[in-house]
Amino acid sequence: LRGTVEQMESVTEYVIEIDETSTAFDLPIKVLINPDGGVINSGTAEYATVTVTIPDIGSARFNIDSESIGIIDPPEGYEVSVSGEVTVEVRGLYDVISGMTSDDISVYVDMSALGELSKGVYAVSVTVEITNEELSGVFIYNRNAYIVRITLK
């Protein structure tokens, strides 16, 4: 970093924001070096490679069976069934996730978001939420990767 003496005197740290919900802990990640306040990046590197290590962070997996997957706004005149299970991975403090159960997680398909459908089988994304408000600091890993099959009859 480079700046005037006055600018540099005020720099005590450089904070890098990292989205922990999409970061694999203990693996190197690239972050943009973009200081503000008149201070500039004096090097040739646009990115810094950092490793984030957060102690006491762990993960847990919960299998949500098809009977537990909810359907929101099913289309009128159709019978909707879900097949397959979803294995949800959560991350957070060991002390918090060690007390979790699958009952703390809600998985559902919002049929209104799918548009016009006809009879058939569809692979659709599900919404996954942590429903227990007492579980602060727990997040769903890879939130958008969960898919199930729905059948409209």
Side-chain angles (χ1 to χ4, degrees), residues 99-110:
M100 282 186 72
T101 69
S102 59
D103 293 335
D104 296 318
I105 299 170
S106 173
V107 178
Y108 60 89
V109 176
D110 184 355

Side-chain angles (χ1 to χ4, degrees), residues 77-108:
Y78 292 98
E79 178 185 321
V80 180
S81 61
V82 177
S83 59
E85 71 177 18
V86 175
T87 301
V88 176
E89 183 176 353
V90 298
R91 291 188 178 183
L93 294 173
Y94 285 120
D95 291 349
V96 177
I97 63 172
S98 65
M100 282 186 72
T101 69
S102 59
D103 293 335
D104 296 318
I105 299 170
S106 173
V107 178
Y108 60 89

Side-chain angles (χ1 to χ4, degrees), residues 83-145:
S83 59
E85 71 177 18
V86 175
T87 301
V88 176
E89 183 176 353
V90 298
R91 291 188 178 183
L93 294 173
Y94 285 120
D95 291 349
V96 177
I97 63 172
S98 65
M100 282 186 72
T101 69
S102 59
D103 293 335
D104 296 318
I105 299 170
S106 173
V107 178
Y108 60 89
V109 176
D110 184 355
M111 299 291 291
S112 67
L114 300 177
E116 195 73 27
L117 298 173
S118 58
K119 290 182 180 181
V121 178
Y122 300 88
V124 298
S125 296
V126 296
T127 299
V128 181
E129 297 175 343
I130 296 174
T131 55
N132 185 339
E133 294 177 9
E134 295 177 8
L135 297 172
S136 66
V138 176
F139 62 91
I140 300 160
Y141 182 71
N142 215 0
R143 178 181 297 272
N144 298 320

Side-chain angles (χ1 to χ4, degrees), residues 44-55:
T44 57
E46 208 178 329
Y47 292 87
T49 301
V50 297
T51 300
V52 178
T53 302
I54 301 176

